[in-house]
Amino acid sequence: MSDCVFCKIIEKEIPSEFLYEDDLCIVFKDINPKFDTHLLIVPKKHIPTVMDMEDGDDKIIGHLIACAKKMGIELGLPGYQLQINVGKDGGQEVFHVHVHMMSNFV
Ligand code: AMP
Ligand code: ZN
């Protein structure tokens, strides 16, 4: 999606520091953090919202949660919140599915 900011980050058209990357997802810091730790876990596949998930995408979304677990261990976070905003009326601003990983621990 040429006009999608997260696709541009994935394609490295917009510079961003990846904290983690594998074949399915990337992790980077939210540009406007609302917690001491505020990461975005983003699938490489452009899925606009949870409402647009297709057959097989459950594996990708599940992978994002597994990735959060991995990041939590790596960063030594004792606890965190995971949030997915769904649709404009669900507070979503960037229409490329992502998990917010938020914690007041660093
Ligand atoms: P949402 O409201 O769930 O769509 O959240 C989108 C999030 O993306 C917001 O918390 C923004 O601060 C964040 N964001 C937007 N553009 C960028 C960017 N270029 N790099 C990092 N985070 C971004
Ligand atoms: Zn995208």
Side-chain angles (χ1 to χ4, degrees):
M1 295 296 271
S2 56
D3 60 345
C4 170
V5 63
F6 288 175
C7 281
K8 285 180 178 163
I9 288 173
I10 290 161
E11 297 300 328
K12 299 188 168 71
E13 290 171 26
I14 295 176
S16 177
E17 188 189 341
F18 294 1
L19 276 67
Y20 176 80
E21 178 176 15
D22 63 23
D23 54 335
L24 291 179
C25 74
I26 59 169
V27 180
F28 53 89
K29 290 182 181 172
D30 196 295
I31 203 169
N32 183 22
K34 295 175 181 69
F35 287 73
D36 293 335
T37 296
H38 189 163
L39 310 181
L40 299 175
I41 307 174
V42 181
K44 288 186 170 174
K45 178 179 178 184
H46 180 87
I47 305 166
T49 83
V50 161
M51 290 186 278
D52 300 302
M53 284 172 65
E54 300 169 334
D55 285 353
D57 287 347
D58 51 342
K59 285 202 182 70
I60 294 174
I61 303 302
H63 182 78
L64 304 181
I65 308 300
C67 184
K69 176 189 172 184
K70 200 188 296 255
M71 294 305 300
I73 292 168
E74 191 176 310
L75 298 174
L77 298 175
Y80 43 84
Q81 296 176 38
L82 299 178
Q83 180 173 322
I84 302 177
N85 297 327
V86 183
K88 187 170 165 283
D89 292 325
Q92 188 174 0
E93 291 174 1
V94 175
F95 286 81
H96 180 133
V97 162
H98 51 281
V99 175
H100 293 260
M101 181 171 186
M102 302 172 292
S103 177
N104 278 327
F105 294 89
V106 285

